[in-house]
Amino acid sequence: MDKQTIENQYLKINKFFGQLVGVWPFQERFIKTCMRFIVSVIMLLDLATQISRVIVFYSFDVFSDQIPYLNAAIICLFKEYNYVLNENKLRELLNDIISDRLIRRSKKELEILELYSRKATTLCILYKVMVYSCAFMFLVIPTIPPILNIVAPLNVSRSREFIYPTYYFVDEQKYYYPILMHMIAAILVLSSIYLACDTNLVQVVHHGCALLAISGYHFKHAVDDVKICDENYITLMDETYTRVRHSIKAHRTAVEYVDKIDACHIYYFLLTIGMIVLTFTGTFVKLSTMEMGIRFFTFCAYTAAQLTHLFFLTIMGQFLINANEEIFRTIYEARWYNGSSKTQSLYVLVLRKCLTFPKLTGGGLIILNLNSFVQILKASFSYYTVFRS
């Protein structure tokens, strides 16, 4: 198995969408630069037209109506340029996945890698379905009035709908189709960026979990061959001590890998969480004042999508916390008491190290886990209550 085979077999989704938006680090430089330029032009123009609407028609209703769409575009740019600016870090993380696959490993280690790879692939597929569903929901909005004109006609034709509110400084009805084409392009680019960046996060986090699980497996079985009554007890003690040292090295490699994941995403997580809190607050305020209609259901679906996105980000950190807790439990259940005092002291040191577990954080301020997910929702509702009062 070579590098190309591993990319196509285990990183297929990441590679496909990463090349579409120019964040795949192994892509040819010229093509990558062109894709980044196209993506930037489309998204910056989209952001400019949304901001212009807020400025030209400024009111609280217009601003609150625009917040969800502005949030999606800004987060999209955060994702894109996080990996553009941290391209070398992402390349290193992905290279580690490939190189760890190329190392000769035991059957059990390969099984652990395959298990977490399948989990990552399944999660990527589910996320892709969620993003596609959300994008499709927005793309069908312009088709609703023509369909209703046929199914339930009125005395006058219903007005044409755009995918989301913007202002292009031109006659929007005269240039309806060019504007609509740009909106469709923006939705497709946004979806591709979400998929490219977030599936990368899934893969590197699950590989970190796999490395932690492999080190835990080594710790658990390092002292299995030791028996007090063995004639070669001293020799076995030396072999056991060597295996435990090897386990510690594997654990240190896993912790360093998780630290590299955090370093690649640390400010991105903080900025994204801040934008999500702002969006939830604005969306809740808007929903409480809207009448039932197309936009109301669009806001509801968008809120559900953002909730899923927030859950997706925080659960990545929870996966790593769970993997560390599993290692702690595995080490504690090992037959460390059969080892020498020197070997037992190594187990104590590793258990102590597990208490300061590797984690994903937002700017070093917020630990990503399910508790953070709940706290972010509470904060959003609190701000919503303040605005409503």
Side-chain angles (χ1 to χ4, degrees):
M1 187 178 292
D2 57 8
K3 177 180 177 180
Q4 192 67 33
T5 303
I6 293 173
E7 286 182 10
N8 294 332
Q9 184 173 350
Y10 299 104
L11 303 172
K12 185 176 181 179
I13 297 176
N14 314 54
K15 183 177 180 180
F16 176 76
F17 289 103
Q19 289 178 336
L20 280 182
V21 298
V23 297
W24 183 249
F26 308 114
Q27 193 174 8
E28 293 183 11
R29 180 174 295 275
F30 176 75
I31 298 175
K32 182 165 55 179
T33 303
C34 291
M35 298 308 298
R36 289 176 180 175
F37 177 76
I38 294 170
V39 166
S40 298
V41 169
I42 292 174
M43 295 310 301
L44 289 175
L45 179 59
D46 173 70
L47 194 59
T49 57
Q50 292 193 54
I51 294 174
S52 65
R53 179 175 181 267
V54 175
I55 295 174
V56 173
F57 305 104
Y58 180 76
S59 69
F60 181 78
D61 288 338
V62 171
F63 179 68
S64 61
D65 188 42
Q66 203 70 45
I67 281 180
Y69 309 105
L70 280 171
N71 170 79
I74 293 172
I75 289 181
C76 185
L77 291 175
F78 284 166
K79 289 178 180 291
E80 172 81 4
Y81 283 97
N82 175 65
Y83 282 137
V84 170
L85 297 175
N86 293 301
E87 181 179 358
N88 292 332
K89 293 179 181 179
L90 177 62
R91 182 186 293 110
E92 186 178 355
L93 289 169
L94 295 176
N95 271 330
D96 286 346
I97 293 178
I98 296 170
S99 60
D100 286 338
R101 284 281 180 179
L102 295 175
I103 295 174
R104 186 182 296 275
R105 293 183 177 274
S106 66
K107 181 180 178 181
K108 182 61 179 179
E109 289 177 333
L110 291 176
E111 288 177 356
I112 293 173
L113 285 174
E114 286 294 332
L115 173 63
Y116 281 94
S117 178
R118 288 196 299 271
K119 287 182 179 180
T121 301
T122 302
L123 195 57
C124 287
I125 292 172
L126 291 174
Y127 191 73
K128 184 166 68 171
V129 171
M130 188 272 290
V131 172
Y132 279 166
S133 300
C134 188
F136 177 77
M137 174 196 68
F138 280 96
L139 291 175
V140 299
I141 289 176
T143 67
I144 294 176
I147 293 174
L148 290 178
N149 287 334
I150 297 172
V151 176
L154 300 175
N155 292 332
V156 294
S157 297
R158 294 175 175 84
S159 60
R160 292 184 292 190
E161 287 279 348
F162 288 106
I163 297 176
Y164 50 88
T166 56
Y167 183 64
Y168 282 81
F169 297 95
V170 295
D171 187 336
E172 294 184 346
Q173 294 305 314
K174 181 179 179 180
Y175 295 97
Y176 175 77
Y177 289 106
I179 293 173
L180 186 61
M181 288 302 102
H182 174 253
M183 288 184 174
I184 292 173
I187 292 294
L188 295 177
V189 167
L190 184 144
S191 302
S192 298
I193 291 175
Y194 269 72
L195 286 169
C197 298
D198 290 345
T199 53
N200 276 334
L201 180 61
V202 171
Q203 291 290 353
V204 297
V205 165
H206 277 77
H207 187 69
C209 292
L211 294 179
L212 289 169
I214 288 172
S215 67
Y217 168 78
H218 286 309
F219 279 116
K220 183 174 183 179
H221 298 284
V223 292
D224 282 354
D225 297 333
V226 178
K227 294 181 181 178
I228 300 299
C229 60
D230 276 339
E231 295 179 0
N232 299 323
Y233 179 70
I234 301 300
T235 303
L236 285 173
M237 285 297 100
D238 291 338
E239 294 176 357
T240 300
Y241 184 76
T242 301
R243 287 198 294 267
V244 174
R245 288 183 59 187
H246 176 71
S247 303
I248 291 174
K249 183 179 179 181
H251 183 258
R252 183 172 66 248
T253 300
V255 171
E256 289 173 352
Y257 186 81
V258 175
D259 289 340
K260 286 190 288 187
I261 298 174
D262 186 50
C264 185
H265 300 86
I266 185 167
Y267 297 113
Y268 156 72
F269 285 142
L270 181 63
L271 293 171
T272 301
I273 289 173
M275 290 300 300
I276 289 175
V277 170
L278 175 63
T279 302
F280 276 148
T281 303
T283 305
F284 294 150
V285 171
K286 189 66 178 179
L287 285 173
S288 65
T289 58
M290 290 180 72
E291 297 181 355
M292 299 288 284
I294 295 175
R295 292 296 172 188
F296 177 82
F297 291 110
T298 301
F299 266 68
C300 290
Y302 178 80
T303 303
Q306 279 294 74
L307 189 66
T308 304
H309 181 227
L310 175 62
F311 179 76
F312 172 85
L313 293 179
T314 53
I315 203 173
M316 291 298 109
Q318 188 66 49
F319 284 149
L320 290 170
I321 293 173
N322 292 346
N324 183 77
E325 291 177 351
E326 182 64 27
I327 285 184
F328 188 91
R329 185 164 53 251
T330 300
I331 294 174
Y332 186 78
E333 292 174 354
R335 299 177 182 177
W336 49 268
Y337 43 81
N338 287 340
S340 63
S341 58
K342 188 166 63 171
T343 301
Q344 291 176 10
S345 65
L346 291 181
Y347 273 88
V348 172
L349 290 174
V350 174
L351 287 173
R352 178 63 185 85
K353 176 63 177 177
C354 288
L355 295 178
T356 54
F357 53 89
K359 51 189 175 292
L360 299 182
T361 64
L365 303 175
I366 305 171
I367 299 176
L368 296 190
N369 53 32
L370 292 181
N371 181 60
S372 299
F373 174 75
V374 175
Q375 294 303 319
I376 292 168
L377 290 183
K378 285 183 178 179
S380 300
F381 277 111
S382 297
Y383 297 141
Y384 157 72
T385 304
V386 170
F387 276 109
R388 285 292 295 165
S389 61

